[in-house]
Amino acid sequence: MRMDLIQPFINAADAVFAESLQGPTKIGDLSMGEGAYRRKGIAALIAIKGDIEGRIILDLAPEVARKVAAILTGIESADDQVTRETVCELANMVIGNSVTLLNDQGYTFKVFPPEVHTSDQGLAGSIDTEAMVLAIETSCGEIFLNIAMHHLARRRRERNAVPVLR
Amino acid sequence: MAQFAALLRKDSQPVRYLVVDDSVFARKNIIKMVQMFGGEIAGEAGDGLTAIAEFNRTKPDIVLMDITMPQMEGIEAVERIVRQHPDARIVMVSSVGYQENILAALQKGAKHFVQKPVKPEVLYEILRYVLSDDPAAVGAPVAFAGEHRS
């Protein structure tokens, strides 16, 4: 996956977590490949369509999600529904800010509303899909981003570059 | 905690807000902020269609409208509300802050745009600006967090 596509996600996640959770953040492990990712706990999935198409999952271990929900809602012990809502909105803010940065680079998208992701398996890469997992350390614990995307604009350019055989 | 002078209507009554967002959490967050600014909640909606109905029912002073929502997105809802109520004051509140979205919303009649995560002091200034077309609307920040004012 190209660095100019990854960097906006890292920058947006870093900025949104630092602002929302009012604490320091640190970019942790970043892994790429085709291996399936396993969900850590409470996860929200957002689909994007446009020059780059794919799905992004924001995933938090249950205890991390509860700490995040407590900070964002001001409710000491948030119930499961509130915690899931909070994770979805956090995902919405991270992805919204990421695609805003990507749009500044000339990519256009449509972003879909977040849904709770319940499958145990995350998004794996394939020939068509580049996938990565990014861990960000926050004051509440690690927050994972599992990103899988098709880069349609590049594929279009590649197709156009192939001479037509007669 | 930052303190804000109440934003009031021309008749000195609290400003009435319609808060539109598909996330209950996001709505509660915005509601908390506008109440901090002395506002009243006229209604809430989780999608654009409900927002139009709630606007017609409650006639709010200001609508705070998300963009990405199920059923009907915020920009289409803005267009429909402004078509019926050209004086509607609508502020877009979205995490997707790219120029194309902002321009589309403004072209359809939105008055301003604020990107999530929303900072109370930023929202306050935007609301004050949007209300400034009402010359008697009052309100000024007493102090922002971490800022000394003499």
Side-chain angles (χ1 to χ4, degrees):
Chain A
M1 194 178 285
R2 286 165 35 185
M3 204 56 205
D4 59 335
L5 297 183
I6 299 170
Q7 200 62 47
F9 287 95
I10 296 174
N11 293 351
D14 193 30
V16 168
F17 296 153
E19 172 67 30
S20 307
L21 304 176
Q22 300 291 311
T25 59
K26 192 175 155 206
I27 310 302
D29 294 337
L30 191 153
S31 56
M32 292 184 213
E34 296 178 10
Y37 167 80
R38 294 201 75 78
R39 182 165 60 88
K40 307 282 187 276
I42 299 173
L45 181 149
I46 288 185
I48 58 173
K49 281 190 185 293
D51 291 341
I52 299 168
E53 294 194 356
R55 301 186 299 171
I56 297 127
I57 296 172
L58 184 91
D59 185 12
L60 291 74
E63 63 277 13
V64 176
R66 277 193 287 274
K67 282 185 198 168
V68 167
I71 290 175
L72 294 183
T73 62
I75 302 169
E76 190 70 31
S77 50
D79 62 25
D80 288 352
Q81 177 63 30
V82 171
T83 304
R84 280 194 293 269
E85 270 276 340
T86 309
V87 171
C88 281
E89 184 56 16
L90 198 61
N92 189 35
M93 289 193 286
V94 170
I95 307 313
N97 280 264
S98 307
V99 301
T100 301
L101 295 173
L102 282 166
N103 184 257
D104 292 343
Q105 296 176 19
Y107 296 102
T108 53
F109 301 97
K110 178 168 171 54
V111 181
F112 290 82
E115 338 168 341
V116 175
H117 179 67
T118 50
S119 164
D120 280 340
Q121 202 113 108
L123 308 171
S126 65
I127 293 170
D128 279 346
T129 305
E130 294 174 287
M132 60 165 263
V133 177
L134 169 67
I136 297 181
E137 292 171 27
T138 72
S139 52
C140 299
E142 277 189 317
I143 298 179
F144 297 88
L145 275 176
N146 174 208
I147 302 168
M149 296 188 299
H150 304 273
H151 189 205
L152 294 182
R154 186 191 64 191
R155 294 221 308 259
R156 257 200 306 273
R157 276 201 302 276
E158 284 169 354
R159 269 202 308 273
N160 293 341
V162 176
V164 178
L165 299 173
R166 291 174 191 272
Chain B
M1 176 68 80
Q3 287 185 311
F4 301 89
L7 293 167
L8 298 173
R9 297 191 327 185
K10 201 173 183 174
D11 58 5
S12 301
Q13 293 300 303
V15 177
R16 297 170 65 254
Y17 296 88
L18 171 60
V19 181
V20 186
D21 199 304
D22 58 325
S23 157
V24 179
F25 163 74
R27 289 207 301 269
K28 290 203 184 314
N29 199 28
I30 295 286
I31 288 169
K32 214 158 48 180
M33 285 184 208
V34 297
Q35 286 174 336
M36 207 157 69
F37 308 153
E40 255 177 27
I41 303 306
E44 291 182 45
D47 61 77
L49 272 179
T50 315
I52 295 167
E54 278 297 285
F55 188 96
N56 291 329
R57 188 181 70 82
T58 62
K59 301 286 188 293
D61 299 306
I62 289 196
V63 183
L64 296 166
M65 176 88 78
D66 187 19
I67 292 181
T68 306
M69 292 186 289
Q71 289 201 69
M72 184 191 288
E73 295 214 334
I75 294 176
E76 189 180 347
V78 169
E79 184 179 23
R80 293 198 188 190
I81 290 172
V82 171
R83 203 185 299 150
Q84 286 178 30
H85 309 275
D87 295 334
R89 295 189 190 100
I90 305 176
V91 175
M92 307 309 289
V93 182
S94 175
S95 56
V96 183
Y98 51 74
Q99 210 178 9
E100 197 180 305
N101 255 2
I102 297 173
L103 280 177
L106 295 176
Q107 280 166 357
K108 303 294 182 193
K111 302 285 187 202
H112 221 297
F113 181 93
V114 58
Q115 190 167 14
K116 293 179 184 175
V118 179
K119 294 179 182 176
E121 60 271 28
V122 172
L123 181 62
Y124 184 89
E125 285 303 322
I126 287 171
L127 292 174
R128 200 157 68 122
Y129 171 78
V130 171
L131 284 164
S132 67
D133 65 5
D134 176 354
V138 293
V142 175
F144 291 136
E147 185 182 350
H148 174 74
R149 290 186 177 223
S150 53

